[in-house]
Amino acid sequence: MERKLNRKNFIKFTCNTACGIGLGVALLNVESCSPFPVIKTKHEKGEIKIPLLSLKDKKDILVRDLELDYDIMIKEKEGKYTVLVLKCTHQDWLLSPNAKGFNCSLHGSTFDIDGKVVNGPAALPLKQLNYIVEKENIIITL
Ligand code: FES
């Protein structure tokens, strides 16, 4: 059956295309805002499993689980990992990463790249999560 490109179909086609392009650009911009590589995950049974291969040659990785309210940062140093929750320790606000650390836009606290407080009002360092390395994965306990 031949499909005619009448006005209705034209509008439907262009809207769908524009929405698709707009969504793609929006997702791209979200990803490009981070100075770190971003891995998207979906946790199961209170754990996030990430293949070690995806961490290869990267020192700092941002983990974005679509069902969690906060990103997680995995940092590698000399074969050991540190897993930080990017949630402000002052009043639980979402932190924004940058090359020097993390900023809280609610009251202005800043944390260095290791999660230590640089400027308050936050007084405590970022929470660290436990992990194990099992076979070819790093498994983070939420
Ligand atoms: S919640 Fe982050 S500084 Fe207050």
Side-chain angles (χ1 to χ4, degrees), residues 27-93:
L27 289 174
L28 195 63
N29 284 341
V30 167
E31 296 304 307
S32 66
C33 289
S34 170
F36 307 102
V38 178
I39 295 177
K40 292 182 180 177
T41 63
K42 185 176 181 199
H43 70 276
E44 286 184 31
K45 298 176 185 171
E47 295 180 336
I48 294 176
K49 184 186 285 188
I50 298 172
L52 288 172
L53 201 57
S54 60
L55 305 179
K56 188 177 178 194
D57 300 330
K58 300 176 186 88
K59 292 292 179 196
D60 301 312
I61 304 280
L62 205 59
V63 177
R64 184 160 293 150
D65 188 298
L66 298 178
E67 294 180 6
L68 295 179
D69 293 334
Y70 305 97
D71 288 339
I72 293 169
M73 171 68 74
I74 301 177
K75 299 172 49 58
E76 187 274 334
K77 189 174 183 182
E78 298 171 1
K80 292 199 170 198
Y81 297 100
T82 303
V83 183
L84 298 171
V85 178
L86 302 191
K87 177 168 68 170
C88 186
T89 55
H90 179 233
Q91 289 182 0
D92 297 340
W93 201 251

Side-chain angles (χ1 to χ4, degrees), residues 114-127:
D114 295 318
K116 294 178 191 137
V117 176
V118 176
N119 291 308
L124 298 172
L126 298 183
K127 180 182 176 183

Side-chain angles (χ1 to χ4, degrees), residues 87-95 103-111 119-122:
K87 177 168 68 170
C88 186
T89 55
H90 179 233
Q91 289 182 0
D92 297 340
W93 201 251
L94 180 68
L95 298 175
N103 297 329
C104 179
S105 62
L106 192 56
H107 306 113
S109 288
T110 57
F111 300 83
N119 291 308

